[in-house]
Amino acid sequence: MTVLPWYTSFAPERGTLPPRAWTAASDAARLPLGGDWAFRLSPAADAADTAFAEPGFDAGGWRTVTVPGHWVLQGEDGEFGGPAYTNVVYPFPVDPPHVPDENPTGDHLRRFDLPDDWPAGGGAVLRFDGVESCARVWLNGTELGWFKGSRLAHEFAVGELLRERDNVLAVRVHQWSSGSYLEDQDQWWLPGIFREVTLLHRPEGAPGDFFVHASYDHTAGTGELRVDCDVPGRVRVPELGLDLAAGESATVPVEPWSAEVPRLYEGELTAGGERIGLRIGFRSVYVEDGVLKANGRRILFRGVNRHEFHPKTGRAVDPDTLRADVELMKRHHVNAVRTSHYPPHPAFLDLCDAYGLWVIDEGDLETHGFEELDWRGNPVDDERWTPALLDRAARLVERDKNHPSVVLWSLGNECGTGAGLSAMARWIHDRDPSRPVHYEGDRSCADVDVYSRMYPPHAEVEEIGRREDGGPAARRALPFILCEYAHAMGNGPGGLSEYQRLFETYERCQGGFVWEWIDHGLAHPAHGHGYGGDFGEELHDGNFVCDGLLFPDRTPSPGLAEYKKVIAPVRITPGERPGTAAVHNLHDVADLSSYAFGWAFLADGEVVAEGPLAVPPAAAGERVEAALPEPPAHPEGAETLWTVRAVLAAATPWAEAGHEMAWGQWPVTGPRPLAQPSPARRPAREGGRLVLGPAVLDARSGALVSLGGLAVSGFGLDVWRAPTDNDEGAPWQPDVRWGPLWRQLGLHRMRHRTDEVAPDGEGLTVRTRVAPAGRDFGLAVTYRWTSDGAAVRLDADVLPEGAWPVPLPRLGVRLGLPAALDRAVWYGGGPGEAYPDTRAAARLGRWESTVAGLQTPYVRPQENGARIDTRWLELSGGDGAGLRVEGEPSFWFTARRWTHAELDAAAHRPDLVPGDTLWLNLDHALHGIGSQSCGPGVLPEHRLEAAPASFSLSFAPLRSC
C-alpha cells in the first residue's frame, strides 16, 4: 500500500487544536508575527530538505517576503513565479488526491523574541488565519503538525516550546495539495501565508471556546441571552443589568439587531485570567410560511458576492481596505454579502456586525472542475473525503458563530451533490439550529432551508415567485434567493430593474447577490491591471476574473451606480394627488427618520429653485405623500421637471451628513421641439462640394465634410459597437450570443453605397444603402439636409431590407471631428453612461466632462460611455470654437479618440492610444446590455430590432463657449 505524502493525504490536519470562536477583543497578550520573513522557493515538493526548521539554520542567503502575503506577488521580475487564474478547470491533472511533482514550495522562517511583558504561566497558541494551500509547521526545531484549508483558521499549542529569546518559526507551504481539489473557486491561485500569524497567550483557566446565543422574540420585544463556555465564567452586560454565570439564561427587553439598525450591546465574558469583550446582537432568523424572516419580518437581500481582493496584494487585504469595502456597500444600499466562496477575514465580520450587513457565510469548498468530468471522482461524494469536509464545516461555524451579522451558513459552492455535503449539513444543523443552511448546487434542496439559484432568467424567477416552478413539493415551500445574478462583467449588468420588480412583487423572492463586488485585475507593469493569461499561465480563463461592481482600484463602476438606484429602499415618484411627491419606504425595518428630503425645480436642465421637503413619518413598508411648492417662474417654453432627493440627515459611521441616498425625477412640461429651418436655403455648388448653411457636403457621396469650418470625416450611418463582455456571452447560456453572430454576419465591416444626391430649392436629399459584404440584407437610408443659414438640420429615415436575423448593436450616425474638441457639455441623462437596460441611474440635467472623462475604464476595453436622453450637446476646444448638436427625439452620444475597431482590438486600457480624430456617435437607439457573460441575455423589450426608424439632428458651429 502506497503511503501518501502528508500534503496529498485525505486527512485535513495533524496536530492542530479544535476550532473555536475567534475574537480580537481579549485582554490576553498577543504577539503579531507579520512582517519580513526569510523565504526560499523550490520548484518541487521534494526539492528541499527540512534542515531549515532547525534553530541553528543559517538563512542568510535567502530572500525575504512579507507576511501576510503571496509569494507570487512579490520578488522581482517573476522570480517567485506568477499568479494563475482559472474559473472552473483545475490547473493540474485531475487525479485526486495526487498533485504534480512540479509543486512550488515556499519555505518561510521567522525569528522572534517574546516581549519583556509576556505573562509568565499559562499556555500559548500559535494561530494561522489563512495559508494557501497547506502548511507544515515547526517551532524551535519541533514539528507542530500540518493543515489544509486555505481560508480557514488553524491553531497549535506551543506553550512548552517557547523561549524568551530567539524562537525560530519555520513554515513550509506547498502551492498544491489534496486540499486544492476542494478549493476550485473562480479566482486567482495565489500561494502563501496570506492572513495573519499570531502568538496568543492563554491564561490559566481561560476559555477554549464560547458560544453566544442571543435570540429575539418580536412579539414580546425581548431578547434571550445565554453564553455557553467550556470553563466556568461570568457574563456581564451592564447596559442590560445582566450578570450571569456562563451557561445561564436571561430574558430582558432589548432592541433587536438588523442590517438596517445594527444594535449591539457591549458585554464581557470573564473566565480564568481572561476578559473577552462581547458585542451582542439579539436577532432570530428562521423560515416561516415559506419566507425567510429576521425578527418577525421578511428579509429582502440587496446583496453582493465578495471575494477578498486587493490589486497589489491579492487576498492579503489590509484593515483599511476591509473597512472601505463595507463603507462603500453601505453608501450604495448594499445590505447583504455572500462571502464567496470561503469564510472572509474575521475582521470583515466584525465590521458587518457594527455597520449592519446580512451575511451568508460560505464554507471554503468548491469542486467545480469535476463538472468537466461529469462529476466523476467528485470528492463530496467520496467517503474518503468526508472527514476533510466536516473539518471545513466545523472551522467555518466555530470561528464565526458569535457574529449576529451571519444569518445563513453556506456549505460551499458548485460542488455538485454527494453524501459528504449531506453530512456537512447535518453537522451544521445540529451544532447551530439557530441559522438556516444554504447550498445552491442541489436542486432537490434535501439538506437546506432555502431554495437558491444562479442566474435564472426573469421569467423563471417570476414562475418561482408564484410557486409554480415544479420540482419537489418541499422545495416549492422554501424561500427563494438568487445567490448569484446580474453578472457585473465589463459594461453592465443589464436587467437589474426588472429583477428588482420581481423581488418586490413576490414574497417568496427574497432578493439576491450580484456577481460580484470587485474586478480582480492584478497590478501589471505593462497592462495596468492584468487578468488571466497576462502572467504566463498554461491554462486560464481570460478576463472572466474581472466581473465586479468596482474597478480593481475600488473606483465604483457605472454598474454600482445603477445598482444603488435600483435597490434604493426609498422610492420617490410623483404622488397621486397633483403637486405632491410620493415617498415609499421599502426598508425591512427602518423608518425614514435618518433622511432629509429636498426638492429642486429644473428648467432645461438648470436648477431654477430648490428647498427642503417636509415628508411625513413613514414606517417600513409605508407610503406617504409630501406637498411640493407651486412651480417657480421659469423661461417660457422650457422643459421643466421636479427632482426630489433623500440625503442623510446626520453623519453615520459610513457617510457624511448630506450624502445622497435616493432620488426621483419626473417631468412637468416636455422638451422643446427641434426647430425647422425657416426660411430654408438652397445648396450652393462649389466645385465638387455642396454648401448648405454652415455645412459642406461632398457632391458625389452626399457625406458631411465640414461644419462651420470644422473638418468632418467618416460621416455615415453606424450600426456597430465594440462588443461588450455581455454581447460576447457565455457558451453555456441558452440565449443567442449576439456579439459573435454580429461579427459572423459582418456588421463590423458594413459597406456604404450612395444611390442619389439630389439638391433642390429647400435642401438636399441623399439616398444610400448600408449592408455587410456577402449578405442580402441591408438598410436603405434617406438623409434630408436643410438649413436656415445658422444651423443645418438632418432628418434621417432608415428602412430595413431583406430578412435581418439579428438585432442591431446601434443605430445612428458617426462622424470624425478634430481631436482638439476635448470638452463636452450636454443637457440630458448623466452624469455616467447608460444603455436601454442600465438607465435607472441617469437623471436629466446639465452635465460636463472632458472627452477622456466620458470613457469608462473597463479592464478589457469594450463599448462604453453612452449618454442617454441627450437634448443637446456642445463639443468645444480651448478657444471656445466647436459644435452644437440638438436632437428630436433625444439621442444618445458617445465621443472618443479611437475608432470602434481600435476599441474592439484593445485587450487592455494602455492599448488605447488617443488619435488625432474625435469620433462622435449620435445614436437614435442602442441595443441593451443584459448579463449574458454568465447570466441571461438582453430582454426582448431592450433589443434593437431592425425596423423602420426616423430621427432628426441639428448641427451648428459654436463661436464661443
Side-chain angles (χ1 to χ4, degrees):
M1 177 179 178
T2 302
V3 177
L4 296 172
W6 69 272
Y7 55 88
T8 57
S9 69
F10 292 101
E13 56 80 30
R14 189 185 71 191
T16 65
L17 294 169
R20 64 187 180 108
W22 172 241
T23 178
S26 166
D27 67 351
R30 64 182 60 204
L31 177 63
L33 296 176
D36 289 340
W37 289 45
F39 178 75
R40 174 184 68 184
L41 181 64
S42 302
D46 60 356
D49 60 33
T50 60
F52 79 104
E54 297 299 324
F57 183 82
D58 180 7
W62 287 20
R63 299 297 305 278
T64 60
V65 294
T66 299
V67 172
H70 304 280
W71 72 67
V72 293
L73 300 182
Q74 302 186 55
E76 299 177 1
D77 299 324
E79 64 177 312
F80 298 149
Y85 166 63
T86 61
N87 171 27
V88 176
V89 177
Y90 288 102
F92 48 79
V94 181
D95 183 23
H98 306 286
V99 295
D101 292 339
E102 300 91 348
N103 189 1
T105 296
D107 291 330
H108 301 69
L109 274 179
R110 173 72 155 84
R111 294 181 180 272
F112 65 93
D113 299 331
L114 292 181
D116 292 339
D117 59 353
W118 189 261
V125 166
L126 180 65
R127 179 181 179 88
F128 293 84
D129 278 301
V131 182
E132 183 176 330
S133 70
C134 61
R136 186 179 176 190
V137 185
W138 295 261
L139 181 62
N140 294 328
T142 298
E143 182 173 354
L144 304 179
W146 48 262
F147 60 84
K148 304 160 195 166
S150 296
R151 270 68 69 179
L152 303 169
H154 297 83
E155 294 180 330
F156 297 97
V158 298
E160 295 181 354
L161 297 174
L162 286 174
R163 303 193 290 246
E164 290 187 5
R165 296 289 180 266
D166 199 26
N167 293 279
V168 179
L169 176 58
V171 183
R172 170 161 288 178
V173 179
H174 299 301
Q175 176 157 11
W176 310 121
S177 69
S178 56
S180 301
Y181 285 100
L182 305 179
E183 296 171 4
D184 189 29
Q185 293 100 339
D186 173 13
Q187 62 176 341
W188 295 98
W189 300 91
L190 295 170
I193 305 172
F194 67 93
R195 288 183 185 160
E196 288 79 5
V197 182
T198 313
L199 183 68
L200 305 168
H201 182 248
R202 305 306 300 138
E204 292 288 347
D209 194 19
F210 63 99
F211 196 162
V212 178
H213 304 272
S215 61
Y216 179 72
D217 183 342
H218 67 279
T219 60
T222 57
E224 181 180 3
L225 176 65
R226 186 184 82 248
V227 179
D228 293 334
C229 187
D230 60 358
V231 297
R234 295 207 67 80
V235 177
R236 297 177 179 85
V237 187
E239 187 177 354
L240 297 175
L242 294 179
D243 187 342
L244 309 171
E248 182 182 352
S249 296
T251 300
V252 292
V254 296
E255 300 171 47
W257 186 98
S258 70
E260 293 173 1
V261 185
R263 180 66 161 95
L264 294 172
Y265 292 87
E266 298 293 330
E268 183 179 83
L269 168 64
T270 304
E274 184 177 23
R275 294 177 181 272
I276 298 172
L278 305 177
R279 304 169 85 198
I280 303 165
F282 291 90
R283 56 109 189 94
S284 294
V285 183
Y286 48 87
V287 175
E288 182 179 68
D289 299 327
V291 177
L292 181 66
K293 296 181 178 179
N295 308 327
R297 293 177 178 264
R298 170 183 181 257
I299 297 174
L300 180 58
F301 291 124
R302 300 171 172 90
V304 294
N305 285 274
R306 176 186 175 272
H307 271 300
E308 293 195 316
F309 180 76
H310 188 283
K312 294 182 179 178
T313 57
R315 278 188 292 281
V317 183
D318 62 276
D320 289 343
T321 300
L322 295 176
R323 186 176 298 274
D325 276 350
V326 172
E327 292 178 354
L328 267 175
M329 290 175 188
K330 295 293 290 186
R331 290 199 290 270
H332 289 83
H333 294 303
V334 172
N335 74 349
V337 175
R338 175 177 175 233
T339 67
S340 50
H341 300 292
Y342 42 83
H345 192 290
F348 180 76
L349 297 180
D350 288 337
L351 293 167
C352 294
D353 294 342
Y355 283 81
L357 289 168
W358 306 114
V359 175
I360 297 182
D361 200 357
E362 192 148 85
D364 189 10
L365 176 62
E366 181 166 338
T367 64
H368 201 175
F370 285 89
E371 185 177 28
E372 303 284 307
L373 310 173
D374 296 323
W375 298 109
R376 293 188 306 274
N378 187 8
V380 304
D381 202 24
D382 182 337
E383 64 180 8
R384 295 175 297 175
W385 292 90
T386 300
L389 302 182
L390 291 173
D391 180 75
R392 288 173 184 249
R395 293 183 185 279
L396 163 72
V397 172
E398 301 295 6
R399 192 197 74 169
D400 296 343
K401 59 182 177 282
N402 294 330
H403 289 281
S405 58
V406 175
V407 292
L408 285 92
W409 300 117
S410 180
L411 303 180
N413 184 67
E414 293 178 317
C415 295
T417 60
L421 290 169
S422 298
M424 294 173 70
R426 286 193 300 271
W427 187 92
I428 293 174
H429 276 122
D430 182 64
R431 177 58 174 151
D432 181 23
S434 72
R435 292 177 173 97
V437 171
H438 166 275
Y439 175 67
E440 182 271 341
D442 183 0
R443 296 289 177 85
S444 76
C445 296
D447 300 316
V448 297
D449 304 296
V450 296
Y451 179 30
S452 178
R453 288 288 309 281
M454 294 181 181
Y455 309 106
H458 299 76
E460 184 180 350
V461 173
E462 184 163 21
E463 186 179 62
I464 292 171
R466 292 173 174 165
R467 300 189 191 271
E468 297 174 352
D469 49 304
R475 189 183 77 187
R476 292 198 302 276
L478 297 178
F480 176 67
I481 63 172
L482 281 72
C483 67
E484 294 180 20
Y485 83 114
H487 199 247
M489 184 177 179
N491 188 334
L496 286 170
S497 296
E498 291 80 4
Y499 274 120
Q500 194 67 19
R501 282 199 290 269
L502 295 170
F503 302 157
E504 295 173 7
T505 299
Y506 297 102
E507 184 181 48
R508 185 190 187 191
C509 297
Q510 299 195 237
F513 297 79
V514 167
W515 187 270
E516 66 162 304
W517 178 237
I518 186 169
D519 285 343
H520 296 183
L522 284 169
H524 190 285
H527 303 319
H529 292 109
Y531 48 76
D534 289 336
F535 298 91
E537 301 101 308
E538 184 178 59
L539 294 175
H540 66 85
D541 286 292
N543 70 309
F544 201 72
V545 76
C546 294
D547 46 16
L549 295 169
L550 301 181
F551 298 124
D553 64 0
R554 283 181 160 74
T555 301
S557 76
L560 184 56
E562 179 80 357
Y563 194 41
K564 175 183 179 178
K565 183 66 172 74
V566 167
I567 65 175
V570 178
R571 185 79 44 79
I572 304 171
T573 58
E576 294 179 0
R577 294 180 292 112
T580 63
V583 180
H584 192 177
N585 182 1
L586 298 173
H587 285 98
D588 297 331
V589 175
D591 61 22
L592 297 181
S593 60
S594 63
Y595 297 101
F597 292 84
W599 60 268
F601 188 82
L602 279 70
D604 287 339
E606 300 279 4
V607 175
V608 174
E610 57 188 332
L613 182 67
V615 175
E622 291 186 347
R623 180 183 180 276
V624 295
E625 293 193 358
L628 293 164
E630 289 295 320
H634 55 273
E636 184 178 355
E639 178 181 15
T640 60
L641 60 147
W642 291 107
T643 299
V644 174
R645 302 167 65 236
V647 303
L648 291 177
T652 70
W654 41 269
E656 296 296 324
H659 177 75
E660 183 180 277
M661 296 301 293
W663 59 271
Q665 192 178 65
W666 55 93
V668 179
T669 58
R672 302 174 188 266
L674 192 63
Q676 290 284 352
S678 180
R681 297 293 185 94
R682 176 188 295 272
R685 182 179 291 274
E686 295 182 359
R689 298 188 169 188
L690 297 169
V691 179
L692 184 61
V696 179
L697 300 98
D698 184 85
R700 182 179 178 184
S701 68
L704 184 68
V705 295
S706 176
L707 199 145
L710 291 173
V712 176
S713 59
F715 178 88
L717 190 80
D718 192 10
V719 301
W720 181 243
R721 73 185 188 197
T724 68
D725 291 314
N726 287 305
D727 290 336
E728 299 288 10
W732 57 83
Q733 290 301 107
D735 293 343
V736 175
R737 299 163 61 201
W738 296 123
L741 192 52
W742 288 338
R743 203 182 305 276
Q744 178 185 336
L745 294 172
L747 300 196
H748 60 306
R749 46 176 174 77
M750 300 289 276
R751 300 292 182 256
H752 297 250
R753 184 187 74 221
T754 301
D755 291 331
E756 183 181 19
V757 179
D760 57 39
E762 296 185 347
L764 174 69
T765 299
V766 180
R767 293 182 174 86
T768 69
R769 189 174 190 273
V770 182
R775 307 293 172 181
D776 62 353
F777 54 83
L779 300 169
V781 188
T782 300
Y783 302 110
R784 177 64 181 169
W785 295 93
T786 54
S787 177
D788 61 0
V792 62
R793 173 173 170 140
L794 169 64
D795 295 288
D797 295 301
V798 182
L799 184 65
E801 296 181 339
W804 274 82
V806 292
L808 300 173
R810 69 179 346 121
L811 181 65
V813 295
R814 185 185 72 159
L815 58 156
L817 297 166
L821 304 183
D822 61 357
R823 181 172 178 263
V825 179
W826 74 98
Y827 170 37
E833 73 180 22
Y835 290 79
D837 53 351
T838 65
R839 62 181 295 164
R843 74 179 89 180
L844 285 177
R846 184 182 183 276
W847 311 100
E848 59 182 281
S849 172
T850 63
V851 168
L854 293 171
Q855 316 309 309
T856 304
Y858 295 114
V859 177
R860 186 192 75 81
Q862 56 198 271
E863 166 64 31
N864 73 89
R867 266 56 178 186
I868 197 173
D869 291 335
T870 308
R871 276 64 166 157
W872 55 259
L873 162 70
E874 293 180 350
L875 292 168
S876 62
D879 60 0
L883 173 70
R884 180 181 173 95
V885 184
E886 298 181 28
E888 184 182 303
S890 60
F891 58 95
W892 270 276
F893 81 89
T894 60
R896 54 177 72 104
R897 290 179 62 189
W898 39 76
T899 64
H900 297 327
E902 291 167 333
L903 184 60
D904 194 7
H908 300 88
R909 289 286 301 172
D911 298 340
L912 292 170
V913 179
D916 57 5
T917 300
L918 172 66
W919 291 102
L920 175 65
N921 273 86
L922 305 168
D923 290 309
H924 169 64
L926 293 171
H927 186 65
I929 296 297
S931 188
Q932 204 179 356
S933 52
C934 194
V938 177
L939 288 165
E941 59 265 35
H942 300 307
R943 295 175 190 164
L944 177 54
E945 304 293 353
S950 298
F951 57 93
S952 301
L953 298 166
S954 173
F955 301 87
L958 287 179
R959 301 307 175 191
S960 62
C961 190

